[in-house]
Amino acid sequence: MPPTQPSPLDPSPPPAARAVPVTGWGRTAPTVARVVRPRSYDEAVAAVRGCGTRGGIPRGLGRAYGDAAQNAGGAVLDMTALDRVHAVDVAAGVVLCDAGVSLHRLMQVLLPLGWFVPVTPGTRYVTVGGAIGADIHGKNHHVSGSFSRHVLSMELLTADGVVRTVAPGDPLFEATCGGMGLTGVVLTASVSLQPVQTSWMTVDTERAGDLDDLMARLTATDHRYRYSVAWIDLLARGRATGRAVLTRGDHAPLDSLPDRARRDPLAFRPSRLPAAPSFLPDGLLGRTSVGAFNAFWYRKAPRRRTGELQRLPAFFHPLDGVPHWNRIYGRRGFVQYQFVVGYGEEEALRRIVRRVSERRCPSFLAVLKRFGDGDPGWLSFPTAGWTLALDVPAGLPGLDAFLDELDEEVAAAGGRVYLAKDSRLRPELLPAMYPRLDEFRALRAELDPRGVFTSDLSRRLGL
């Protein structure tokens, strides 16, 4: 594939590297890699050219749960030093920024100008490059799609050291969105934005008595809301299986704020609690403690409340207020398992929820959402249907075998698991889950025949 833009960068020596253990947010499978932190585009080119025989993989703020941004024995390119916001077109609602810029930083810059990021996951501490590589989704996928739908163009540093400008419709663009960093290093991106009048949300909350009740409510009313998510109690059994708290909302207009809030309607001041301790014992989040928490959380929620004003961080990113919250699972870490099955496959979703409930998996972070139409990324996760994400302590006996069984259920229903959260999927299931996998592999073979871009994930799954 010929370059669309020859690199204007001069060769320079690679930046200094240090060998350190690297892990995902789940902290389940650390491996040692040489971490390189380029501080300029020149240094990024040098780092790619100097990856060595084990290759390299770009990494942002480390919020992929599994092994997507690890590379045992090779290089990991920490892109967080390339973090400039180059320009904001306030009239058009477009930002041009480095890939190492976090969504947190973008919110700080954009909210005072009346703009918001178009898609945000459950944490704002992800980089723009990571958002593209994982093609992240949020509570608004049924309306806005995934992050890549809002990327107008990007500069991509490929394995040959060339910088290419790619845009929607280009096969390289579609392979990169959701491609887990395996097509190259995103250097900059131009992203369209969401207009807002305030930094507040208008939120409706209600309880659903079981899974069928929840799905019926979502199906009937999701079109009324830009953002929608349901927390599910996966330890509830019997008639209460799948009971949930449904939270939906939209950006609050200026005239909905009380007088005091109107004085600074676009203020963005996230609160922070003390960080989780560096050491917590394994087993803290067991069936008894999580079951008690889930029961309390469900009963605490209102049966129905409408029009509540919430600040943006409370609605989108409640866990960001607790630094290093992933430590609460103890030394062995945790697995976050997320899958999607299409509309018409509701019985598969019911079976999986029943199995998780009967297995008594202690999950207190379990959410169900509805996806809209999928986006063009060849390995992009979202596709029209139901997506369930749940966290489970990694030390739970028999967990691997149990999740293998769930993988087979998902694949049989025509669904897929999310690679940005995966650390254990069996490679033989991947082609059924991602029908364009062969195209992705062929493009990679053409563009990167020496395997410059490599990760623990890509080796495990044969990407």
Side-chain angles (χ1 to χ4, degrees):
M1 177 178 295
T4 56
Q5 177 183 325
S7 171
L9 307 175
D10 296 325
S12 64
R18 56 194 179 93
V20 295
V22 180
T23 186
W25 190 245
R27 305 172 72 207
T28 55
T31 55
V32 175
R34 293 181 295 106
V35 176
V36 184
R37 192 167 188 255
R39 297 180 178 275
S40 68
Y41 302 151
D42 288 339
E43 287 192 355
V45 171
V48 168
R49 289 174 173 164
C51 277
T53 57
R54 292 285 287 181
I57 193 71
R59 180 182 175 95
L61 288 168
R63 291 304 180 102
Y65 285 79
D67 55 3
Q70 300 174 208
N71 184 21
V76 168
L77 280 58
D78 177 351
M79 300 302 296
T80 56
L82 293 174
D83 60 354
R84 290 172 296 173
V85 177
H86 294 280
V88 180
D89 185 333
V90 177
V94 175
V95 63
L96 173 64
C97 62
D98 285 343
V101 173
S102 70
L103 299 192
H104 174 81
R105 176 61 179 151
L106 284 184
M107 292 176 196
Q108 289 178 318
V109 171
L110 297 172
L111 275 168
L113 304 175
W115 295 98
F116 189 62
V117 295
V119 172
T120 177
T123 175
R124 60 186 177 273
Y125 294 110
V126 297
T127 62
V128 169
I132 293 169
D135 200 12
I136 60 169
H137 57 272
K139 300 174 183 178
N140 60 340
H141 190 276
H142 62 292
V143 173
S144 302
S146 55
F147 194 87
S148 67
R149 187 180 298 185
H150 308 274
V151 177
L152 305 177
S153 67
M154 58 181 151
E155 289 185 315
L156 186 71
L157 170 60
T158 49
D160 52 7
V162 169
V163 177
R164 305 164 190 255
T165 299
V166 294
D170 184 332
L172 183 53
F173 181 93
E174 295 172 0
T176 299
C177 296
M180 307 310 299
L182 296 170
T183 60
V185 180
V186 179
L187 296 178
T188 68
S190 180
V191 183
S192 61
L193 305 170
Q194 168 68 35
V196 294
Q197 296 181 16
T198 74
S199 59
W200 293 79
M201 303 294 295
T202 302
V203 182
D204 294 352
T205 305
E206 59 189 275
R207 288 190 297 193
D210 58 32
L211 182 61
D212 284 339
D213 182 23
L214 172 62
M215 289 193 293
R217 292 172 189 249
L218 284 166
T219 301
T221 61
D222 243 14
H223 64 280
R224 302 177 190 168
Y225 299 89
R226 179 174 294 275
Y227 301 98
S228 178
V229 66
W231 169 87
I232 297 186
D233 180 3
L234 288 178
L235 283 174
R237 291 185 289 182
R239 294 174 61 183
T241 299
R243 67 182 180 182
V245 178
L246 179 55
T247 306
R248 293 173 290 186
D250 207 335
H251 297 280
L254 183 61
D255 60 12
S256 70
L257 300 190
D259 290 342
R260 184 175 180 181
R262 291 191 200 186
R263 297 172 192 165
D264 193 3
L266 291 164
F268 180 62
R269 303 186 186 98
S271 59
R272 286 172 70 88
L273 297 171
S278 58
F279 174 78
L280 286 168
D282 294 328
L284 184 66
L285 296 180
R287 294 184 176 101
T288 301
S289 58
V290 173
F293 171 85
N294 285 5
F296 164 77
W297 194 256
Y298 178 76
R299 295 190 178 100
K300 170 181 174 290
R303 291 186 181 277
R304 181 169 176 79
R305 181 174 60 204
T306 61
E308 180 190 11
L309 287 174
Q310 291 184 10
R311 292 188 179 274
L312 282 170
F315 181 78
F316 287 108
H317 314 118
L319 285 174
D320 281 349
V322 184
H324 304 294
W325 63 262
N326 56 339
R327 294 173 180 171
I328 66 176
Y329 292 87
R331 291 180 299 106
R332 300 180 71 174
F334 72 105
V335 173
Q336 185 158 108
Y337 182 72
Q338 184 170 5
F339 67 89
V340 58
V341 293
Y343 297 124
E345 294 292 343
E346 285 77 11
E347 189 52 43
L349 176 63
R350 292 186 186 98
R351 283 196 304 271
I352 291 173
V353 169
R354 283 197 299 267
R355 292 188 66 177
V356 173
S357 174
E358 291 166 359
R359 181 71 166 68
R360 307 291 289 156
C361 291
S363 175
F364 78 99
L365 289 175
V367 296
L368 182 75
K369 296 189 289 252
R370 295 175 79 246
F371 280 158
D373 292 339
D375 293 285
W378 293 352
L379 296 188
S380 183
F381 168 68
T383 186
W386 302 93
T387 180
L388 177 65
L390 59 142
D391 67 301
V392 188
L396 193 69
L399 179 62
D400 286 345
F402 178 66
L403 293 181
D404 283 348
E405 294 171 3
L406 297 191
D407 289 340
E408 292 172 3
E409 286 248 25
V410 170
R416 59 185 60 157
V417 301
Y418 193 12
L419 297 183
K421 296 183 177 180
D422 177 56
S423 57
R424 34 137 312 274
L425 178 69
R426 301 200 314 273
E428 59 267 26
L429 292 178
L430 195 64
M433 294 182 172
Y434 289 91
R436 303 194 72 175
L437 178 63
D438 285 345
E439 293 175 74
F440 181 82
R441 286 171 169 162
L443 183 142
R444 283 245 300 147
E446 176 188 350
L447 198 64
D448 185 9
R450 296 184 295 113
V452 170
F453 294 112
T454 307
S455 66
D456 290 354
L457 174 81
S458 71
R459 277 189 289 267
R460 177 169 56 82
L461 294 179
L463 292 174

